[in-house]
Amino acid sequence: ESVENAIDSELKSNGVDIAASSNSHQPLSPPRNNASAETTVTVSQSSQEPAETVPETSNKPEGERLCELMCSKGLRRYICGNISHRAKLMEEIPAALKLAKEPAKFVLECIGKFYLQGRKAYSKDSPMISARQVSLLILESFLLMPDPGKGKLKIESSVKDEAEMAAVAWKKRLMGEGGLAVAEQIDARGLLLLIACYGVPSDFRSMDLLDLIRTSGSNEIVGALRRSPFLAPMIS
């Protein structure tokens, strides 16, 4: 602007018609204006470009996602990490298990073979205690799973056979440690929940069931036990 003003002043002092000579100094300002116009166009065009596509994040709770994927290790880690929030887990996991393609098979995969480990593996402050608590919570959640429909939840014969072998092996270990009547509460509860979920093997006597009910603290899980299609009809 100062350059243009200086030129205008010089032209006036020399008696030159400014209007007539405007073409002589008009090009001084366009570079700035053109640059501004170019910038405006560039910004305008960039604003019309589509925003970068960001992968949509699932809003599903972690428990539901892991059950849908049938990821047994992932679900165990998730529950173990939140085991102190039992009430929250007992609201989430039963409904989440229903989303698994094969809930009965998935639950059996989740509990693994921890039941073969003897009483000494679960001494005070042992990290194995929380692992066993996770398995018991999953079994209880399976019994509390929302009604899948008019019919009972279908359990494949192979899954049922595997669960029966697990129950028999579990009982055998407890008998070797002194019997069901003196079993640790967490052990008795786990075995009771297992047979409530998958069926009572033929070599379990009525007294065996009574011992498990007495030593398992069954009053704490009575809501789940009452939903068992196998155990409830056998006990008044």
Side-chain angles (χ1 to χ4, degrees):
E1 290 176 352
S2 62
V3 172
E4 288 180 344
N5 292 334
I7 292 175
D8 290 344
S9 177
E10 184 68 20
L11 290 173
K12 287 179 181 179
S13 64
N14 291 330
V16 180
D17 185 3
I18 297 176
S21 63
S22 60
N23 290 335
S24 65
H25 64 275
Q26 186 67 25
L28 289 174
S29 58
R32 178 189 47 159
N33 294 336
N34 287 345
S36 176
E38 183 180 354
T39 304
T40 304
V41 172
T42 303
V43 172
S44 176
Q45 289 177 345
S46 65
S47 64
Q48 295 177 0
E49 294 178 358
E52 182 181 357
T53 303
V54 179
E56 184 179 352
T57 304
S58 175
N59 291 325
K60 286 186 177 180
E62 184 69 4
E64 291 185 5
R65 186 182 69 82
L66 292 168
C67 288
E68 279 188 329
L69 295 173
M70 296 271 287
C71 181
S72 57
K73 291 183 179 179
L75 184 63
R76 286 189 61 85
R77 283 195 297 268
Y78 172 70
I79 295 176
C80 188
N82 294 276
I83 197 68
S84 59
H85 304 290
R86 176 179 168 81
K88 177 182 178 295
L89 289 172
M90 292 308 299
E91 289 182 5
E92 179 185 357
I93 302 304
L97 287 175
K98 189 178 178 180
L99 301 177
K101 185 178 179 181
E102 298 177 88
K105 180 180 179 180
F106 179 54
V107 169
L108 207 56
E109 290 177 355
C110 286
I111 68 172
K113 298 188 184 302
F114 75 94
Y115 51 84
L116 295 178
Q117 297 171 329
R119 181 182 299 178
K120 293 182 180 179
Y122 299 91
S123 58
K124 187 178 180 181
D125 298 328
S126 168
M128 298 302 296
I129 294 177
S130 59
R132 181 164 288 194
Q133 289 174 338
V134 169
S135 296
L136 267 59
L137 189 144
I138 293 174
L139 287 170
E140 186 177 355
S141 296
F142 182 54
L143 288 173
L144 294 172
M145 192 171 64
D147 188 357
K150 294 181 180 179
K152 296 179 181 178
L153 177 68
K154 184 179 179 181
I155 300 178
E156 296 291 337
S157 58
S158 59
V159 175
K160 196 169 182 178
D161 290 344
E162 185 179 349
E164 182 173 337
M165 287 190 293
V168 171
W170 200 336
K171 177 189 173 184
K172 182 178 180 181
R173 176 178 67 78
L174 292 179
M175 295 301 291
E177 293 177 351
L180 303 181
V182 295
E184 296 286 344
Q185 184 183 83
I186 197 169
D187 249 336
R189 181 175 297 189
L191 180 52
L192 184 61
L193 285 170
L194 179 64
I195 61 179
C197 289
Y198 296 96
V200 183
S202 57
D203 62 342
F204 274 66
R205 304 168 303 159
S206 297
M207 186 56 67
D208 295 333
L209 299 180
L210 182 59
D211 287 340
L212 289 176
I213 291 172
R214 284 174 171 168
T215 56
S216 65
S218 57
N219 58 310
E220 297 178 6
I221 55 171
V222 66
L225 296 178
R226 284 176 175 165
R227 290 176 60 89
S228 169
F230 307 105
L231 196 61
M234 302 176 64
I235 302 172
S236 63

